[in-house]
Amino acid sequence: MSEATIAHLDYDLLDPGNRRDPYPLYAELRDAGPIHWSESLGGWVLSRYDEVHSALDHPELSAARFTPYLESLRRAPSVDRDSEMLYEGLNAWFTFADPPYHTRLRSITRRVLSRPMKAIGTRVEPLLDSLLAEADERGGADLLDELARPLSVGAIAELLDVPLADRALFLQWSELLTALIAGAVDVPSRRERALEGLRELNSYIHALVAERRGRGGEDVVAGLLSERHEGEPLSTDEVVATIAMLLFAGHGSTTNAIGNGALALLRNETQRRALIDGEVTAEDAFEELLRYDSPVQVTVRNAACDGALGCGEISAGDRVFLFVASANRDGRRVERPDELDLARSVRGRHITFGYGIHFCLGAPMARIVAPMALDRLFARARSVALAETELEWQATVGFRGLERLPVDVAA
Ligand code: HEM
């Protein structure tokens, strides 16, 4: 990547305007060049499709973004055991790791998840029906708290065979972790809170693993305990870290995909009708909704060497922000990028699920659960309308989702 002068830009992604609609700012960033330095993020930013796409799978970028913190804590003269424990815990999640650790854990997890994921539709259908029936009965709902979130957490609980009754706990713990992982602002002492969340989550999973070990069976936990990669099983700590990561990764993005998708449809009657009238399948519609307003805005890498990506100004250890949500709106990639057009065929043409060795392992499940929810929500017999026009967006850079999405429902 060569640019004569690389811009240093200062902008606030979380000011109220950008939180409400970050896409005009992304367009400016794409126009400013293939790469720039962001003063506010303290790192390099890629926002065009081609650059983000190739960086997602680039060997000169490392996904082990917590390793530098851990190393500097270990070098520090004073001991900060709590922070060390937090970063050790997150470092064990294979999404924050490079090969060969990543390869070994991902390959086992992919094999174990494949069959249960395909069956997830029938397993969550009763939950979806009951959530929709409750919304009908009340004549309205907060689509996030009363549909998208319980459904997404319910789906991951079904997948992992953990009690549905514990879903309030998962939500609480992952909220504590989100503050750190997705770069939320306005959250005091986010490290302490994240550590508290991770500790409680890990101790819950340790107990679950102890109970399942030796019991056999076909569930995901049993599979993670027994499956091998090149003859080697996962250690108990690796199984615990992987389940914690799945619980975390498995519901927030799906919740926001349903929320953002529902909002886009509520705001666009023509496209909503196209879905209701069956002009497009819910699955195809969902792909365009993912492109149009991605629940994952950005993912982060660290430069693994000086001059990474052919950019002389990048130094080893620098953070590199890959804005997938901006890449999806790049006019060099799609025509009329700011228009929602459910009929366009975008599967494989957006990078909302990432790309390459870290491509989302939960995509097959999200692609079942979310279209089913949107399809049933807007089904022909039901009328759904926004109950509020002033909507508040979550204060995170990494994820994009509403705080609440109140709707009126008439069955
Ligand atoms: C619409 C919903 C979802 C979206 C938009 C999404 C998006 C993503 C993205 C962008 C990545 C790549 C991150 C990177 O390259 O740094 C990723 C990775 C991952 N996702 Fe998802 N995800 C969704 C749902 C799920 C679900 C339901 C699960 C689990 C059941 C899941 C599990 C994972 C895992 C395990 C990884 C790590 C893969 C790796 O590093 O090899 N995701 N996801």
Side-chain angles (χ1 to χ4, degrees):
M1 192 168 339
S2 60
E3 266 287 283
T5 46
I6 295 180
H8 284 221
L9 303 176
D10 202 5
Y11 44 82
D12 180 3
L13 281 162
L14 294 176
D15 80 22
N18 288 333
R19 230 198 271 181
R20 197 167 44 245
D21 180 7
Y23 295 103
L25 172 64
Y26 292 162
E28 283 175 32
L29 300 182
R30 288 192 301 273
D31 287 346
I35 185 165
H36 67 266
W37 174 266
S38 162
E39 302 290 353
S40 51
L41 295 171
W44 303 99
V45 167
L46 305 182
S47 56
R48 294 182 181 174
Y49 185 91
D50 284 349
E51 281 74 13
V52 176
H53 183 263
S54 83
L56 279 166
D57 202 29
H58 204 291
E60 290 169 358
L61 296 183
S62 161
R65 59 196 245 210
F66 293 108
T67 307
Y69 296 117
L70 197 55
E71 285 171 353
S72 76
L73 283 168
R74 286 177 179 154
R75 279 196 307 268
S78 61
V79 178
D80 179 357
R81 192 57 206 132
D82 277 357
S83 297
E84 264 185 57
M85 276 164 61
L86 172 65
Y87 291 126
E88 276 164 6
L90 293 175
N91 235 18
W93 291 15
F94 68 74
T95 190
F96 301 134
D98 297 323
Y101 178 86
H102 170 265
T103 318
R104 187 165 59 82
L105 272 73
R106 179 177 166 108
S107 121
I108 288 183
T109 310
R110 192 179 50 75
R111 267 178 279 143
V112 170
L113 290 182
S114 155
R115 203 146 45 101
M117 269 195 185
K118 284 191 195 124
I120 203 69
T122 30
R123 294 187 69 178
V124 295
E125 209 171 2
L127 174 62
L128 174 59
D129 286 345
S130 77
L131 293 168
L132 287 172
E134 281 167 34
D136 286 352
E137 209 170 289
R138 280 196 303 267
D142 172 0
L143 282 189
L144 288 171
D145 261 358
E146 289 159 349
L147 178 74
R149 197 165 286 119
L151 179 70
S152 307
V153 185
I156 192 76
E158 282 288 347
L159 183 82
L160 298 175
D161 257 312
V162 294
L164 205 56
D166 291 341
R167 67 185 184 205
L169 289 172
F170 309 146
L171 278 174
Q172 195 186 315
W173 299 328
S174 52
E175 217 167 274
L176 294 173
L177 279 170
T178 303
L180 187 84
I181 293 173
V185 291
D186 300 325
V187 181
S189 56
R190 52 184 202 166
R191 241 194 242 180
E192 287 79 1
R193 286 163 55 83
L195 178 62
E196 186 191 325
L198 189 63
R199 257 194 194 139
E200 291 181 17
L201 180 59
N202 279 355
S203 84
Y204 175 93
I205 299 167
H206 264 291
L208 182 80
V209 168
E211 178 212 313
R212 300 279 168 91
R213 188 183 284 286
R215 205 174 80 177
E218 301 225 322
D219 61 274
V220 168
V221 177
L224 289 173
L225 286 166
S226 62
E227 192 69 45
R228 284 158 192 265
H229 178 73
E230 294 174 354
E232 284 298 310
L234 298 179
S235 71
T236 301
D237 283 349
E238 288 167 348
V239 171
V240 169
T242 301
I243 296 172
M245 180 193 65
L246 288 171
L247 271 174
F248 179 82
H251 71 84
S253 325
T254 312
T255 301
N256 290 332
I258 297 171
N260 297 357
L263 177 65
L265 292 171
L266 286 163
R267 284 179 165 167
N268 188 325
E269 193 181 346
T270 313
Q271 296 301 309
R272 191 166 71 245
R273 284 251 62 95
L275 175 66
I276 296 171
D277 295 344
E279 288 165 26
V280 282
T281 65
E283 288 73 20
D284 283 348
F286 181 56
E287 296 299 318
E288 166 69 351
L289 291 165
L290 284 174
R291 182 200 69 82
Y292 181 75
D293 200 6
S294 173
V296 175
Q297 296 279 291
V298 58
T299 185
V300 187
R301 299 285 191 267
N302 286 345
C305 56
D306 289 342
L309 305 175
C311 175
E313 290 190 37
I314 295 186
S315 304
D318 283 356
R319 294 219 285 171
V320 185
F321 293 84
L322 316 180
F323 274 84
V324 293
S326 167
N328 286 337
R329 295 269 195 126
D330 190 342
R332 297 164 194 83
R333 175 73 179 169
V334 276
E335 283 174 17
R336 301 168 283 111
D338 295 320
E339 205 179 292
L340 179 71
D341 177 2
L342 300 184
R344 67 168 120 207
S345 189
V346 287
R347 188 168 172 145
R349 295 182 49 102
H350 65 75
I351 43 175
T352 298
F353 289 119
Y355 171 73
I357 63 167
H358 290 280
F359 182 82
C360 177
L361 268 191
M365 171 159 146
R367 282 176 160 149
I368 294 173
V369 175
M372 194 164 110
L374 291 169
D375 202 30
R376 301 275 175 95
L377 173 67
F378 290 105
R380 200 178 293 264
R382 191 181 282 104
S383 120
V384 187
L386 273 176
E388 275 176 28
T389 44
E390 280 301 305
L391 297 167
E392 204 187 320
W393 293 87
Q394 292 162 24
T396 63
V397 173
F399 300 151
R400 176 163 166 81
L402 290 160
E403 291 287 355
R404 296 178 313 114
L405 181 51
V407 294
D408 297 320
V409 177

